[in-house]
Amino acid sequence: VLPTGNEVRYRVREQLVNVDLPNDAIGKTSAITGGLALDDKGNVVSPGSEFVIAVEGLTSDRDRRDGYVRFRLLETRTYPNVTFTPTAVTGVKLPLPASGDAAITIAGNLTVKGVTKPVTWTGKATFAGGEVSGSAATAFTFADFSLTQPRVPVLLSVADTIKLEYDFHLGVEK
C-alpha cells in the first residue's frame, strides 16, 4: 500500500427523520496498511498478503453517526482494525503489464469485530509506472458479521446491506 491514493469507504442506505429522501451514509478512512503478494504463477502468497484498515478514524458527514459506528457498532476500542486477507486473485497475469487496465476479482477472508467470513471483491486495476491503482467493492449484511443493525431515534430505516469500496494505490516490488 503506497502512502497516498488509498481510501476505504462503507456505504449504507438510510432514511433519516425530517429528510424527504433516503440517502447513502458514507464513512471513509485512508488509514490502510498491508499489501498483496503473488508467486510467479499469480497465486496469493500468505503470509505477506493482508490489508489492515484502522477503523477508529472512520468519518462521515455526521459526528453522531461516526460515534455510533465507531463505539457501538464496530466497538473500535476493542476491535480497532478490520482486516482482509486475500486468498485468490483473478484477472491479473504475471508478469504484471507495464500499462493498461484489467477487470479483477479478489477472494479472501474479511474480519470485522472478531468475526471472519469469506468475501469477494470485484473491480478494475490500472497498471502504470510500476504501480497498480484502481477500485474494488464487496457487499454483505449486518448479520453476516454479527453486527446489530442500527435502531436509533433519528433513523426511520437502515438498509441491511453494507457496501465496502476500496480505492487502492499499490507499489510493485519484485
Side-chain angles (χ1 to χ4, degrees):
V1 173
L2 292 174
T4 61
N6 289 277
E7 181 178 270
V8 170
R9 292 176 299 282
Y10 70 79
R11 184 181 299 267
V12 178
R13 179 64 87 178
E14 68 180 7
Q15 175 70 54
L16 298 171
V17 171
N18 297 326
V19 177
D20 292 335
L21 299 172
N23 70 294
D24 283 347
I26 302 170
K28 59 188 174 182
T29 184
S30 59
I32 305 143
T33 58
L36 174 65
L38 302 174
D39 66 16
D40 59 355
K41 294 182 181 168
N43 298 313
V44 173
V45 176
S46 182
S49 294
E50 181 177 67
F51 294 89
V52 179
I53 302 102
V55 291
E56 297 163 303
L58 279 170
T59 57
S60 70
D61 61 344
R62 297 188 184 264
D63 291 340
R64 288 178 69 187
R65 177 189 301 123
D66 297 343
Y68 185 90
V69 167
R70 284 188 214 130
F71 303 117
R72 294 186 65 195
L73 186 67
L74 294 177
E75 299 177 38
T76 59
R77 288 183 180 118
T78 304
Y79 306 99
N81 299 315
V82 167
T83 61
F84 176 66
T85 306
T87 56
V89 177
T90 57
V92 176
K93 303 254 192 265
L94 292 179
L96 293 176
S99 63
D101 298 325
I104 58 167
T105 302
I106 304 170
N109 295 308
L110 184 68
T111 302
V112 179
K113 255 179 75 173
V115 176
T116 302
K117 299 285 183 172
V119 298
T120 301
W121 298 72
T122 57
K124 179 181 166 186
T126 300
F127 306 92
E131 298 177 354
V132 181
S133 60
S135 61
T138 191
F140 49 85
T141 67
F142 283 88
D144 287 340
F145 288 91
S146 301
L147 299 172
T148 303
Q149 197 169 354
R151 305 246 188 268
V152 293
V154 296
L155 281 172
L156 291 176
S157 66
V158 175
D160 191 36
T161 300
I162 301 169
K163 296 176 185 173
L164 291 185
E165 302 166 340
Y166 181 18
D167 293 338
F168 56 87
H169 187 201
L170 310 174
V172 176
E173 297 178 6
K174 298 193 185 231

